[in-house]
Amino acid sequence: NHISLLPDFKVRALSYAQMHFWYFWKLVYPRYLCFDYGHACIPLVHDLIDWRNILPLITYTTLAMLIAFAVKHARISLLLGMALLLVPLVPALNVVFPVGTLLAERLLFVPSIGYCFIVA
């Protein structure tokens, strides 16, 4: 995980946000899969004005809207799906602490169950 070693917090945060988008994109459209992404497979994001910052923003907004909808309308199955999607995925997202893997589909096995709950 070369992003965790970067000295600039802004670049780390923006690059991790980009990686979060890729995790959710792999759930939505799993066409090109790889067991583990290496050092330069996901390019770093250096500026706030980079167009790639729109993608994580859309991802975060969609997740927040789904959670708000599920809470407002008391959709237990949707809340269960969100929990099954997010709880197992949080340790892999480098949010709490950096992990050795940057992006790997093998970390999406359990979250994919939550995704299926949400889609169904």
PDB file of all heavy atoms in Angstrom, residues 56-69:
ATOM      1  N   PRO A  56     -15.802   9.590  -6.387  1.00  0.00           N
ATOM      2  CA  PRO A  56     -16.041   9.266  -4.977  1.00  0.00           C
ATOM      3  C   PRO A  56     -17.161  10.108  -4.367  1.00  0.00           C
ATOM      4  O   PRO A  56     -17.915   9.613  -3.519  1.00  0.00           O
ATOM      5  CB  PRO A  56     -14.711   9.570  -4.290  1.00  0.00           C
ATOM      6  CG  PRO A  56     -13.711   9.628  -5.358  1.00  0.00           C
ATOM      7  CD  PRO A  56     -14.418   9.996  -6.607  1.00  0.00           C
ATOM      8  N   LEU A  57     -17.285  11.351  -4.815  1.00  0.00           N
ATOM      9  CA  LEU A  57     -18.368  12.195  -4.306  1.00  0.00           C
ATOM     10  C   LEU A  57     -19.731  11.595  -4.652  1.00  0.00           C
ATOM     11  O   LEU A  57     -20.636  11.557  -3.807  1.00  0.00           O
ATOM     12  CB  LEU A  57     -18.236  13.605  -4.868  1.00  0.00           C
ATOM     13  CG  LEU A  57     -19.229  14.632  -4.370  1.00  0.00           C
ATOM     14  CD1 LEU A  57     -19.060  14.855  -2.881  1.00  0.00           C
ATOM     15  CD2 LEU A  57     -19.081  15.923  -5.129  1.00  0.00           C
ATOM     16  N   ILE A  58     -19.876  11.092  -5.867  1.00  0.00           N
ATOM     17  CA  ILE A  58     -21.117  10.424  -6.273  1.00  0.00           C
ATOM     18  C   ILE A  58     -21.340   9.166  -5.435  1.00  0.00           C
ATOM     19  O   ILE A  58     -22.462   8.886  -4.995  1.00  0.00           O
ATOM     20  CB  ILE A  58     -21.082  10.102  -7.779  1.00  0.00           C
ATOM     21  CG1 ILE A  58     -21.145  11.389  -8.594  1.00  0.00           C
ATOM     22  CG2 ILE A  58     -22.222   9.172  -8.166  1.00  0.00           C
ATOM     23  CD1 ILE A  58     -20.875  11.193 -10.077  1.00  0.00           C
ATOM     24  N   THR A  59     -20.283   8.417  -5.192  1.00  0.00           N
ATOM     25  CA  THR A  59     -20.388   7.198  -4.387  1.00  0.00           C
ATOM     26  C   THR A  59     -20.844   7.513  -2.969  1.00  0.00           C
ATOM     27  O   THR A  59     -21.786   6.889  -2.449  1.00  0.00           O
ATOM     28  CB  THR A  59     -19.026   6.470  -4.344  1.00  0.00           C
ATOM     29  OG1 THR A  59     -18.620   6.174  -5.672  1.00  0.00           O
ATOM     30  CG2 THR A  59     -19.111   5.202  -3.531  1.00  0.00           C
ATOM     31  N   TYR A  60     -20.204   8.478  -2.323  1.00  0.00           N
ATOM     32  CA  TYR A  60     -20.566   8.837  -0.949  1.00  0.00           C
ATOM     33  C   TYR A  60     -21.989   9.386  -0.880  1.00  0.00           C
ATOM     34  O   TYR A  60     -22.744   9.085   0.046  1.00  0.00           O
ATOM     35  CB  TYR A  60     -19.587   9.860  -0.367  1.00  0.00           C
ATOM     36  CG  TYR A  60     -18.160   9.389  -0.278  1.00  0.00           C
ATOM     37  CD1 TYR A  60     -17.113  10.269  -0.461  1.00  0.00           C
ATOM     38  CD2 TYR A  60     -17.846   8.056  -0.022  1.00  0.00           C
ATOM     39  CE1 TYR A  60     -15.800   9.853  -0.375  1.00  0.00           C
ATOM     40  CE2 TYR A  60     -16.540   7.624   0.062  1.00  0.00           C
ATOM     41  CZ  TYR A  60     -15.523   8.529  -0.109  1.00  0.00           C
ATOM     42  OH  TYR A  60     -14.226   8.113  -0.023  1.00  0.00           O
ATOM     43  N   THR A  61     -22.368  10.201  -1.863  1.00  0.00           N
ATOM     44  CA  THR A  61     -23.719  10.769  -1.890  1.00  0.00           C
ATOM     45  C   THR A  61     -24.764   9.678  -2.065  1.00  0.00           C
ATOM     46  O   THR A  61     -25.801   9.687  -1.391  1.00  0.00           O
ATOM     47  CB  THR A  61     -23.834  11.810  -3.020  1.00  0.00           C
ATOM     48  OG1 THR A  61     -22.826  12.799  -2.855  1.00  0.00           O
ATOM     49  CG2 THR A  61     -25.195  12.464  -3.019  1.00  0.00           C
ATOM     50  N   THR A  62     -24.505   8.731  -2.949  1.00  0.00           N
ATOM     51  CA  THR A  62     -25.441   7.632  -3.164  1.00  0.00           C
ATOM     52  C   THR A  62     -25.605   6.797  -1.906  1.00  0.00           C
ATOM     53  O   THR A  62     -26.736   6.448  -1.525  1.00  0.00           O
ATOM     54  CB  THR A  62     -24.961   6.748  -4.331  1.00  0.00           C
ATOM     55  OG1 THR A  62     -24.819   7.562  -5.488  1.00  0.00           O
ATOM     56  CG2 THR A  62     -25.926   5.615  -4.599  1.00  0.00           C
ATOM     57  N   LEU A  63     -24.509   6.478  -1.236  1.00  0.00           N
ATOM     58  CA  LEU A  63     -24.600   5.704   0.001  1.00  0.00           C
ATOM     59  C   LEU A  63     -25.359   6.465   1.080  1.00  0.00           C
ATOM     60  O   LEU A  63     -26.196   5.884   1.785  1.00  0.00           O
ATOM     61  CB  LEU A  63     -23.201   5.342   0.494  1.00  0.00           C
ATOM     62  CG  LEU A  63     -22.458   4.290  -0.302  1.00  0.00           C
ATOM     63  CD1 LEU A  63     -21.024   4.153   0.191  1.00  0.00           C
ATOM     64  CD2 LEU A  63     -23.176   2.961  -0.227  1.00  0.00           C
ATOM     65  N   ALA A  64     -25.096   7.754   1.214  1.00  0.00           N
ATOM     66  CA  ALA A  64     -25.801   8.562   2.216  1.00  0.00           C
ATOM     67  C   ALA A  64     -27.294   8.646   1.902  1.00  0.00           C
ATOM     68  O   ALA A  64     -28.133   8.561   2.808  1.00  0.00           O
ATOM     69  CB  ALA A  64     -25.188   9.961   2.281  1.00  0.00           C
ATOM     70  N   MET A  65     -27.634   8.792   0.619  1.00  0.00           N
ATOM     71  CA  MET A  65     -29.046   8.860   0.241  1.00  0.00           C
ATOM     72  C   MET A  65     -29.751   7.523   0.483  1.00  0.00           C
ATOM     73  O   MET A  65     -30.906   7.504   0.929  1.00  0.00           O
ATOM     74  CB  MET A  65     -29.182   9.284  -1.221  1.00  0.00           C
ATOM     75  CG  MET A  65     -28.831  10.735  -1.451  1.00  0.00           C
ATOM     76  SD  MET A  65     -28.791  11.236  -3.185  1.00  0.00           S
ATOM     77  CE  MET A  65     -30.402  10.760  -3.752  1.00  0.00           C
ATOM     78  N   LEU A  66     -29.080   6.409   0.213  1.00  0.00           N
ATOM     79  CA  LEU A  66     -29.662   5.099   0.480  1.00  0.00           C
ATOM     80  C   LEU A  66     -29.905   4.884   1.974  1.00  0.00           C
ATOM     81  O   LEU A  66     -30.951   4.367   2.373  1.00  0.00           O
ATOM     82  CB  LEU A  66     -28.752   3.989  -0.056  1.00  0.00           C
ATOM     83  CG  LEU A  66     -28.894   3.631  -1.511  1.00  0.00           C
ATOM     84  CD1 LEU A  66     -27.805   2.658  -1.919  1.00  0.00           C
ATOM     85  CD2 LEU A  66     -30.254   3.033  -1.791  1.00  0.00           C
ATOM     86  N   ILE A  67     -28.952   5.290   2.791  1.00  0.00           N
ATOM     87  CA  ILE A  67     -29.111   5.149   4.238  1.00  0.00           C
ATOM     88  C   ILE A  67     -30.250   6.039   4.727  1.00  0.00           C
ATOM     89  O   ILE A  67     -31.096   5.613   5.520  1.00  0.00           O
ATOM     90  CB  ILE A  67     -27.795   5.468   4.966  1.00  0.00           C
ATOM     91  CG1 ILE A  67     -26.765   4.374   4.666  1.00  0.00           C
ATOM     92  CG2 ILE A  67     -28.007   5.590   6.470  1.00  0.00           C
ATOM     93  CD1 ILE A  67     -25.369   4.690   5.138  1.00  0.00           C
ATOM     94  N   ALA A  68     -30.311   7.281   4.263  1.00  0.00           N
ATOM     95  CA  ALA A  68     -31.385   8.190   4.666  1.00  0.00           C
ATOM     96  C   ALA A  68     -32.746   7.658   4.235  1.00  0.00           C
ATOM     97  O   ALA A  68     -33.711   7.702   5.012  1.00  0.00           O
ATOM     98  CB  ALA A  68     -31.150   9.578   4.083  1.00  0.00           C
ATOM     99  N   PHE A  69     -32.848   7.131   3.023  1.00  0.00           N
ATOM    100  CA  PHE A  69     -34.102   6.558   2.540  1.00  0.00           C
ATOM    101  C   PHE A  69     -34.518   5.354   3.386  1.00  0.00           C
ATOM    102  O   PHE A  69     -35.686   5.217   3.753  1.00  0.00           O
ATOM    103  CB  PHE A  69     -33.964   6.151   1.073  1.00  0.00           C
ATOM    104  CG  PHE A  69     -35.163   5.475   0.509  1.00  0.00           C
ATOM    105  CD1 PHE A  69     -36.265   6.215   0.094  1.00  0.00           C
ATOM    106  CD2 PHE A  69     -35.219   4.090   0.422  1.00  0.00           C
ATOM    107  CE1 PHE A  69     -37.384   5.587  -0.418  1.00  0.00           C
ATOM    108  CE2 PHE A  69     -36.328   3.453  -0.086  1.00  0.00           C
ATOM    109  CZ  PHE A  69     -37.424   4.205  -0.511  1.00  0.00           C
TER     110      PHE A  69
END
